[in-house]
């Protein structure tokens, strides 16, 4: 889905989120309106400045009159919409999603370079995940340390595709892509060649900065040092689309 | 509070590094206040050899990696009114569970043959058999309170124990997290 480009004569709609009357541009998505109004909505795949992916489903909300839950990142606002963002049902599903992410791959926080600066880790705490109720899959995943500056650990990847999107949409290199299906799904560089052998990678490091976990990190950083900076992203995105 | 009868506490160290027990000792001067409210009836920190028949609070550190760990976890569950899973090894499997990605024979070779120059041999006598896969404590027995962290801070342990002493169910998520 392309980035929403500002329209010159866009209309304003009124809607109700968590019992608050709000107004928004009709081309905005629910998550944008929530964030503008400081209504916390968890998400892992959504990032301001990148296209919408709708993959993690953590930003699900309830809309009055609709039985199914919708992802706030990929749902546009509408006149008269009534939205709930933090119900018991949503908390239950969000907790389950986070537990599934932990159960699928091997996120051993205590030996992770991103320990203390990981979005999945802090989200687990926010969602009340004090243990994982499902059995862990315990499937081994490889680590690619072939790049001279960066490292990719598939064990810690949650397939949010932020790296894929930032490389394509902001850097313009399209080094990253996704291969396989289901639990075999993996992010890859070039045609699934080692990252260090990539001919398209510019070593800009944007993918590392937007990665929410310890899947993409700088080589040589010690645990707790891998602090990521994502403030550059909306600025670069705006400049790109202004052209 | 000192007029109330003391609650009995038992702790055990399964497959872990003992860091959680070390963090427990990091309560420092608060340990003196703690002994006014609790009696430690079984632990690596005291000399008792057998777990009493009834214990108020059981605390398990470490994951279930061997037959011995499994037996101890089952015994704790049977005899403890409240069972606490302390630390990431107990809650998630953590570092001990990283051997789940390898065959047990390869793990033995790595530990006892490849890195040993003098008399390489695999111990078989007076050691419990290892289990596969390594599991968190709640993978085998029901757990009442989960305290993640590697290790959980002394403050987190203090909060959990204080709540249990007061007869309340603690919410450790407010004070600790995975990998803390």
């Amino acid at each position: 889905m392309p980035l929403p480009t500002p329209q010159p004569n866009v209309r304003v709609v009124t809607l109700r989120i968590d019992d608050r009357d709000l107004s928004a541009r009709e081309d905005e998505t629910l998550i944008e309106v929530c964030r503008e109004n400081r209504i916390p909505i968890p998400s892992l795949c959504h990032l301001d400045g990148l296209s919408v992916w709708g993959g993690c489903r953590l930003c699900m909300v309830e809309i009055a009159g609709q039985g199914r839950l919708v992802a706030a990142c990929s749902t546009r606002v509408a006149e008269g919409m009534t939205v709930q963002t933090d119900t018991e049902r949503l908390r239950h599903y969000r907790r389950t999603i986070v537990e599934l992410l932990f159960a699928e791959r091997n996120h051993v926080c205590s030996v992770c370079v991103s320990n203390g600066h990981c979005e999945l880790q802090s989200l687990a705490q926010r969602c009340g995940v004090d243990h994982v109720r499902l059995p862990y899959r315990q499937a081994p995943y490889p680590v690619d340390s072939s790049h001279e500056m960066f490292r990719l650990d598939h064990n810690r990847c949650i397939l949010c595709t932020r790296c894929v999107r930032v490389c394509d949409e902001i850097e313009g290199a399209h080094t990253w892509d996704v291969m396989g299906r289901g639990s075999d799904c993996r992010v890859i560089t070039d045609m699934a060649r080692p990252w260090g052998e990539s001919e398209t990678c510019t070593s800009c490091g944007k993918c590392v900065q937007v990665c929410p976990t310890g899947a993409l990190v700088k080589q040589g950083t010690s645990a707790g040092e891998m602090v990521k900076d994502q403030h550059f992203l909306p600025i670069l995105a705006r400049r790109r689309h202004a052209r | 509070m000192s007029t109330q009868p003391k609650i009995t506490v038992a702790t055990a160290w399964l497959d872990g590094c003992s860091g959680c027990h070390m963090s427990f000792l990091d309560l420092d001067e608060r340990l003196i206040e703690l002994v006014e409210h609790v009696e430690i009836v079984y632990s690596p920190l005291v000399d008792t050899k057998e777990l009493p028949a009834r214990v108020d609070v059981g605390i398990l550190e470490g994951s279930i990696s061997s037959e011995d760990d499994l037996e101890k976890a089952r015994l704790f569950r049977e005899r403890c009114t409240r069972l606490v899973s302390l630390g990431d090894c107990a809650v998630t499997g953590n570092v001990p569970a990283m051997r789940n990605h390898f065959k047990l024979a390869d793990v033995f070779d790595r530990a006892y043959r490849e890195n040993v120059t003098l008399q390489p041999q695999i111990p078989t006598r007076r050691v419990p058999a290892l289990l596969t896969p390594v599991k968190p404590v709640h993978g085998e027995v029901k757990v009442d309170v989960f305290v993640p962290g590697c290790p959980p801070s002394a403050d987190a342990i203090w909060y959990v124990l204080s709540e249990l002493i007061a007869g309340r169910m603690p919410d450790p998520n407010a004070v600790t997290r995975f990998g803390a």
Side-chain angles (χ1 to χ4, degrees):
Chain A
M1 189 184 291
L3 276 169
T5 43
Q7 300 296 318
N9 295 315
V10 74
R11 288 194 336 199
V12 169
V13 297
T14 53
L15 70 164
R16 202 169 168 78
I17 303 179
D18 291 347
D19 303 322
R20 283 172 61 186
D21 288 320
L22 300 169
S23 58
R25 294 160 57 100
E26 67 174 353
D27 60 354
E28 283 188 293
T29 58
L30 280 172
I31 201 166
E32 287 171 330
V33 178
C34 287
R35 300 228 159 136
E36 281 161 20
N37 290 283
R38 298 182 186 281
I39 298 168
I41 292 199
S43 75
L44 284 171
C45 71
H46 179 80
L47 202 56
D48 190 16
L50 295 182
S51 60
V52 174
W53 181 249
C56 73
R57 314 312 277 184
L58 279 159
C59 68
M60 286 183 304
V61 294
E62 285 182 19
I63 297 178
Q66 284 194 29
R68 69 186 182 92
L69 304 174
V70 301
C73 68
S74 58
T75 305
R76 288 206 194 279
V77 294
E79 182 61 40
M81 201 178 235
T82 305
V83 181
Q84 290 292 330
T85 70
D86 191 26
T87 63
E88 191 55 48
R89 181 184 177 205
L90 291 169
R91 282 193 289 272
H92 166 72
Y93 281 125
R94 283 176 189 151
R95 181 186 167 141
T96 307
I97 290 169
V98 175
E99 286 183 46
L100 283 164
L101 288 172
F102 274 101
E104 182 167 310
R105 300 208 179 183
N106 307 299
H107 300 272
V108 188
C109 297
S110 62
V111 291
C112 181
V113 177
S114 286
N115 187 10
H117 303 108
C118 172
E119 291 181 42
L120 178 64
Q121 183 187 37
S122 53
L123 192 60
Q125 191 178 18
R126 266 170 54 201
C127 292
V129 179
D130 57 358
H131 71 291
V132 175
R133 292 168 292 182
L134 309 123
Y136 290 92
R137 278 182 67 240
Q138 307 284 9
Y141 286 86
V143 177
D144 182 353
S145 295
S146 59
H147 195 286
E148 61 174 350
M149 290 165 68
F150 310 119
R151 186 169 63 241
L152 161 63
D153 185 349
H154 288 284
N155 290 285
R156 306 190 185 282
C157 177
I158 54 163
L159 299 167
C160 66
T161 73
R162 284 185 188 181
C163 54
V164 179
R165 285 175 285 152
V166 79
C167 189
D168 179 40
E169 296 162 13
I170 306 296
E171 179 61 10
H174 202 127
T175 300
W176 289 100
D177 224 315
V178 181
M179 179 185 85
R181 287 184 165 272
S183 57
D184 291 330
C185 196
R186 265 175 35 192
V187 288
I188 53 166
T189 44
D190 284 356
M191 300 298 279
R193 290 167 61 201
W195 194 1
E197 294 173 19
S198 168
E199 290 171 0
T200 57
C201 176
T202 60
S203 301
C204 71
K206 291 188 183 72
C207 51
V208 175
Q209 295 303 324
V210 299
C211 174
T213 69
L216 292 175
V217 294
K218 279 189 275 188
Q219 299 267 28
T221 42
S222 60
E225 275 186 331
M226 195 54 246
V227 187
K228 298 185 177 181
D229 176 17
Q230 294 162 1
H231 294 102
F232 69 93
L233 193 56
I235 301 164
L236 285 183
R238 272 198 299 275
R239 288 186 177 174
R240 278 210 160 251
H241 287 273
R243 282 181 193 174
Chain B
M1 216 160 144
S2 56
T3 53
Q4 288 178 349
K6 288 184 176 185
I7 65 163
T8 52
V9 172
T11 79
W13 170 14
L14 309 180
D15 190 0
C17 70
S18 90
C20 297
H21 274 89
M22 296 297 111
S23 202
F24 182 80
L25 290 177
D26 276 345
L27 288 172
D28 298 333
E29 72 271 17
R30 283 176 288 188
L31 285 168
I32 297 163
E33 194 182 328
L34 190 67
V35 291
E36 289 178 12
H37 305 303
V38 306
E39 185 186 355
I40 298 180
V41 291
Y42 177 90
S43 169
L45 307 172
V46 297
D47 198 33
T48 322
K49 300 289 186 277
E50 289 206 3
L51 185 70
R54 289 307 317 161
V55 181
D56 295 322
V57 176
I59 300 173
L60 289 177
E61 171 200 337
S63 53
I64 296 177
S65 280
S66 70
E67 286 177 354
D68 190 47
D69 297 334
L70 182 57
E71 194 182 320
K72 222 173 243 175
R74 285 179 177 160
L75 199 63
F76 261 65
R77 179 67 280 177
E78 195 183 304
R79 298 187 179 180
C80 300
T81 309
R82 292 251 187 268
L83 189 60
V84 179
S85 205
L86 183 68
D88 275 355
C89 294
V91 173
T92 72
N94 204 26
V95 174
M98 289 169 80
R99 79 159 156 88
N100 288 342
H101 310 158
F102 307 96
K103 286 180 185 159
L104 193 54
D106 294 340
V107 174
F108 273 121
D109 278 346
R110 183 72 183 158
Y112 293 105
R113 287 205 181 103
E114 288 174 26
N115 293 317
V116 178
T117 50
L118 193 65
Q119 291 184 322
Q121 57 187 314
I122 291 171
T124 51
R125 295 173 59 197
R126 303 183 67 183
V127 288
L130 292 185
L131 301 172
T132 49
V134 176
K135 286 183 187 175
V137 172
H138 68 271
E140 287 291 349
V141 297
K142 184 179 170 292
V143 170
D144 303 304
V145 182
F146 296 87
V147 191
C150 186
S153 66
D155 287 345
I157 295 173
W158 175 251
Y159 161 75
V160 169
L161 287 174
S162 304
E163 291 293 287
L164 289 170
I165 289 165
R168 295 187 291 262
M169 274 301 271
D171 175 19
N173 218 46
V175 290
T176 186
R177 55 163 164 75
F178 294 139

